[in-house]
Structures are given as structure tokens and as C-alpha cells.
Amino acid sequence: MEELLSLAASAAGWAGTLCTAAAYALVSRQRLSADSTLFQALNVLGGALLAVSAASSGAWPSVTSNVVWVLIGVQAVIGVRRALRKKRGAEEATVPLTPVA
């Protein structure tokens, strides 16, 4: 059972690495915007998976930095979502209403 948990933690670490590397590569190549929900979600997921992997091996400084990474990403996702809602609300307020006959 311990071997299975170790394998799962290792897999989580590799998946987290792929998520964060993909997010960085996509923004660097201008395929994603840094303020997009997808970019932030990839970072949150990647950081969380890396934190799990680091915790399994007792690498507490790495766990801490990844938890901070996740918290920053969650805060960014919330900001992006708020901005989208605000933008949609402003667009709806400027759409002229047509009278119903």
C-alpha cells in the first residue's frame, strides 16, 4: 500500500510539473493571456499537485511555496471571474432594450 501511495504522489508531482510548465509555455508563446482563467487554473492545479508530491517526501519548503502558489492562483481566479462578471454587467447595461409591441 505504501508503494502505491508513493507512486500516486510521484504521478501527482509529474502532472503538476506538466500543468505549470504548460501554463508558462502557453503564456510565453502568447497562446494564453496571463489573466485568463485557464492559465490561472493550470497554475492552481499544478501547484496543488506539486504540494501533494512534496509533502509525501517531507520537502516542507517546497510544500509551502506551492501552497503559496495555489493561494495566489486562487486569488487571481477570483479576480478574473469578478472582472468578467463586471464586464458582462456593464455590457448588459449598455444594450438598448427594444420595446415589445
Side-chain angles (χ1 to χ4, degrees):
M1 183 66 165
E2 188 175 318
E3 190 174 313
L4 182 60
L5 289 175
S6 177
L7 181 62
S10 183
W14 283 109
T17 297
L18 289 173
C19 285
T20 55
Y24 182 68
L26 289 167
V27 165
S28 295
R29 294 175 184 250
Q30 299 178 347
R31 306 286 178 161
L32 280 181
S33 169
D35 63 352
S36 71
T37 303
L38 179 58
F39 173 74
Q40 297 301 334
L42 284 169
N43 273 304
V44 168
L45 179 61
L49 291 170
L50 285 165
V52 167
S53 180
S56 75
S57 61
W60 301 113
S62 184
V63 171
T64 302
S65 71
N66 281 294
V67 167
V68 168
W69 190 277
V70 168
L71 293 174
I72 291 168
V74 167
Q75 185 180 29
V77 169
I78 291 169
V80 167
R81 303 294 288 181
R82 281 185 184 151
L84 285 173
R85 276 196 300 265
K86 188 175 183 179
K87 183 179 176 184
R88 285 186 193 134
E91 288 173 355
E92 289 173 3
T94 60
V95 173
L97 298 177
T98 55
V100 178

